[in-house]
Structure formats: structure tokens, C-alpha cells
Amino acid sequence: GIKEGKDFKVRYEESMLTANRYAVTETQLESDAVDLIMTSLDQYFKYRRDDRIIVHAVEVPFSKVLYIGPDLKGEDITVIYQGKMDLVAEEAGEKEVIDHKTTSRNAEPVDFRIQFMGYRWASGFKVVVNNFGLQKTLQPSAKFKRYPFTYTPEAIENWKRFAIGKALEYAYSLETGEFPQNFGSCETGFGTCAYINMCRWPSLQDETRNFEFRVDEVWDVYSERNT
């Protein structure tokens, strides 16, 4: 709406209507959850009303060559890093990638998340994480915080080496059909690894995968409908 030059009242009404319609028709959320989200959106839009940003792109896909060289078998490979950025905007003369995160905790995001560093490498812009809090008792100033992240060139180079290494491992696994288990990641901050049952019953990996997950075509960032 900002990019199209709409004033706040129009943007607010259109966004609230769209969000409510989506919650009712496209999700299975309970009514109290929908009420919490809509209340939070109302607070958020009004709290951010006076932000002064120039919007360059919304939900913009990107694709950039990360590596060209030998793979783990010594054969030529090209690794392309691609994804989709929530928002590319400009504020006080500086371009930035703004990524939105919902949260129910009052905790700061970690700047060295792979996603954020990848955005920095791909765009060259500052990365800003825009937290959208769903806490019921906090004031908007505590719920809706922005965290600007900057990185040294050395940190980005380290991220790049890590990303290339992981990509080569995945490429090797896809080619050979061998996927080594990572037992150091069985526990996460939010429970257990989603694939833990495939490790529990190695002889039934195919059956477990097909039973617990939807196996589909390879994700295409350019054609996937944004949900």
C-alpha cells in the first residue's frame, strides 16, 4: 500500500479485511487465536503508522551464484543461492532488507542466523528483523521491535564457506541417495527434529517419510504461491 501511495486509512482497512478473510477461509485457527492476531495487527498498524520508509520491493525473489567449481566427487557444479525477501525498503537514505518474525516471547533474534546473513550477502544491504509480538500483556513498544544487523566482511566470508560446504554435502547426498544423520540436532529449541522417526526406524525410512510428510516436486521460489 505504501508503494502504491495509499494513505494510512485505506491501507489499514484493506489489510485488516484481508487478514481476517484469510484467517477465516484459509486456516483452521480457533476464534480466540484469530482475535489475538487481529488485535495485534490493529496495534501494530497504528504503532507503525508514522514510519517513514520508501518501499522498493515486496516479497521479492532473488537468485545469485554462490559457487562454481568442483563438487565432492571432483565434478563441475554450480551452486545457486535463492530465496524470497519480505521487504526491500529505504530509510534515511539507506537500503535495507526487512524480515518479519512473529514471536510469543520477549527475546531478541540472533543476528548470526543463516537466513539473515544470506540476505546480507545476496543484497549487500543492511538487514533489519521486525519482530511482531503476540504477547497479550505487553505494550506495543515492547511487542513490536526492530533489530538492525550489520556484519563484518570476515563474518560474511565465513557464512559463505559454510553455505558452500553444506550445499556440496546436499548435492552429494542427492546424487548418491545417502543422507547421513545429524545426531547433534535431535533436540531443538522447540522440541525434537521433525525427522526423528526416520532415524528411529532406519529400515523404514521411505515408509516413514511418505507417511509423515507430503512428498512433492522441488520447491521453485519463483512460482510458489506466497502463504
Side-chain angles (χ1 to χ4, degrees), residues 194-206:
Y195 304 100
I196 195 167
N197 283 336
M198 295 177 67
C199 296
R200 286 191 173 121
W201 302 291
S203 63
L204 299 174
Q205 281 196 359
D206 289 344

Side-chain angles (χ1 to χ4, degrees), residues 123-136:
S123 69
F125 305 148
K126 179 173 71 175
V127 175
V128 177
V129 176
N130 189 33
N131 266 6
F132 180 83
L134 291 169
Q135 303 91 341
K136 294 181 180 180

